[in-house]
C-alpha cells in the first residue's frame, strides 16, 4: 500500500498570513497519463470532508483561489496564500493511483 | 443540486450485520464511480470500498474483504454497503462519496455520514 505522510500535524496560523502543508508518498503518484493522482480535502469542524484540489493542482468547483496545490511524484504541497478564519479544520491528502486509496494522517489548522 | 444522504447506522453486536444506504439526488448514481469512506470519531479518514460506473467493478480495503459488499440500485438511485461479521474495529462514521468522474478517483461530493457502533 502507498503510505501518505503529512506535515506538520498541527499548524497554528495567523489570519492574513500564508500557510503550507506538505504531503509525501512512498511511491510516485505520477500516472502514465501525465497526471499526479493526489487530492486535497478539508474537513471543517463538525462537517464532512470536501474536495479542495484534485490531480495535485486543480482547484475544485467553488474553492477560493487562495488555495493552490503543487508538486509531482512523491512530494506535494497545499498552500493558502492568505489564511482566513473559515479555513480552520483538518486537511487531508489522498492518493488514488493504486488501490487501496490511502489518506494522509491529517493536518489540523487552527487560528493562533 | 448534488446531494448524498446516508442511513442505516446503528449499534450492533460483534459478529452481527448491518446494511448502510446512501440515497443520491441531483445526479444519476450509476453514471459515476462511488465510494464508502469511514472515520473513527476524532481520527483520520479510511477508504473502504469503491464501485465503478458501468460494469460495477468493486474494490475493497483488505480489512473488509469477504465481509463487506458494495452495491447500487438504479431504480432507487442508491448506494449500499452490506456489512457482515462486524468487529469492534469497524466502529466508525461511514460516508458515501461520489467520484468526480475524471482521471483518478476524486471525491467531489460527500454525505453527512452515518455512525456504526460495534459493541456488546
Amino acid at each position: 500500500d502507498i503510505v501518505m505522510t503529512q506535515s506538520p500535524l498541527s499548524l497554528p496560523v495567523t489570519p492574513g498570513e500564508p500557510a503550507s502543508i506538505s504531503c509525501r508518498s512512498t511511491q510516485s503518484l505520477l500516472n502514465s497519463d501525465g497526471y499526479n493522482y493526489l487530492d486535497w480535502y478539508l474537513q471543517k469542524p463538525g462537517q464532512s470532508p470536501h474536495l479542495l484540489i484534485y490531480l495535485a493542482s486543480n482547484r475544485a468547483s467553488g474553492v477560493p483561489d487562495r488555495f493552490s496545490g503543487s508538486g509531482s511524484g512523491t512530494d506535494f504541497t497545499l498552500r493558502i496564500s492568505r489564511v482566513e478564519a473559515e479555513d480552520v479544520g483538518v486537511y487531508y491528502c489522498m492518493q488514488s493511483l493504486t488501490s487501496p486509496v490511502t489518506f494522509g494522517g491529517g493536518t489540523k489548522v487552527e487560528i493562533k | 443540486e448534488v446531494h448524498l444522504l446516508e442511513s442505516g447506522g446503528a449499534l450492533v453486536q460483534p459478529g452481527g450485520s448491518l446494511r448502510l444506504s446512501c440515497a443520491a439526488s441531483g445526479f444519476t448514481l450509476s453514471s459515476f464511480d462511488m465510494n464508502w469512506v469511514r472515520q473513527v470519531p476524532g481520527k483520520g479518514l479510511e477508504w473502504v470500498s469503491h464501485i465503478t460506473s458501468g460494469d460495477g467493478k468493486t474494490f475493497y480495503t483488505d480489512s473488509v474483504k469477504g465481509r463487506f459488499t458494495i452495491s447500487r440500485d438504479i431504480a432507487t438511485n442508491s448506494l449500499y454497503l452490506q456489512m457482515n461479521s462486524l468487529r469492534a474495529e469497524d466502529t466508525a462514521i461511514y460516508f458515501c462519496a461520489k467520484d468526480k468522474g475524471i482521471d483518478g478517483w476524486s471525491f467531489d461530493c460527500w454525505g453527512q455520514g452515518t455512525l456504526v457502533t460495534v459493541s456488546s
Side-chain angles (χ1 to χ4, degrees):
Chain A
D1 298 359
I2 297 177
V3 177
M4 307 297 291
T5 303
Q6 290 182 230
S7 61
L9 266 60
S10 177
L11 182 60
V13 297
T14 301
E17 295 296 307
S20 66
I21 299 169
S22 172
C23 176
R24 291 184 173 175
S25 57
T26 52
Q27 298 177 38
S28 175
L29 302 183
L30 182 61
N31 193 36
S32 56
D33 60 9
Y35 294 108
N36 286 278
Y37 285 13
L38 185 284
D39 299 335
W40 290 96
Y41 296 85
L42 166 60
Q43 186 172 30
K44 295 184 178 182
Q47 296 185 15
S48 306
H50 68 270
L51 179 65
L52 289 175
I53 302 289
Y54 62 96
L55 298 177
S57 60
N58 299 275
R59 270 190 305 277
S61 176
V63 174
D65 61 8
R66 64 179 180 273
F67 290 93
S68 63
S70 63
S72 183
T74 61
D75 290 342
F76 300 90
T77 301
L78 176 71
R79 290 186 175 86
I80 310 173
S81 60
R82 294 174 304 280
V83 173
E84 297 189 5
E86 66 181 26
D87 299 336
V88 298
V90 182
Y91 290 76
Y92 296 94
C93 61
M94 183 196 89
Q95 71 80 21
S96 63
L97 181 68
T98 64
S99 181
V101 165
T102 47
F103 291 88
T107 295
K108 186 174 184 178
V109 171
E110 52 192 5
I111 300 297
K112 282 183 181 177
Chain B
E1 181 187 0
V2 174
H3 190 65
L4 296 168
L5 182 63
E6 302 93 336
S7 60
L11 171 63
V12 61
Q13 292 189 339
S17 297
L18 208 57
R19 189 175 87 150
L20 304 183
S21 301
C22 172
S25 58
F27 72 101
T28 301
L29 187 142
S30 60
S31 297
F32 293 87
D33 291 13
M34 295 293 297
N35 301 268
W36 287 98
V37 177
R38 66 186 179 184
Q39 182 175 39
V40 174
K43 302 298 184 183
L45 300 169
E46 180 187 25
W47 171 80
V48 174
S49 183
H50 178 103
I51 185 168
T52 61
S53 61
D55 62 0
K57 187 175 180 181
T58 58
F59 300 82
Y60 301 92
T61 192
D62 283 350
S63 64
V64 309
K65 281 180 184 175
R67 301 189 299 122
F68 289 13
T69 303
I70 188 173
S71 64
R72 64 188 178 209
D73 186 315
I74 294 175
T76 60
N77 208 35
S78 295
L79 180 73
Y80 300 100
L81 187 67
Q82 177 67 43
M83 304 186 294
N84 299 328
S85 303
L86 282 161
R87 306 168 180 168
E89 54 265 36
D90 296 318
T91 294
I93 300 167
Y94 284 73
F95 299 98
C96 63
K98 169 188 167 291
D99 197 271
K100 188 172 172 58
I102 56 167
D103 301 279
W105 297 348
S106 298
F107 308 158
D108 67 346
C109 181
W110 297 61
Q112 90 292 341
T114 187
L115 178 62
V116 173
T117 304
V118 184
S119 175
S120 54

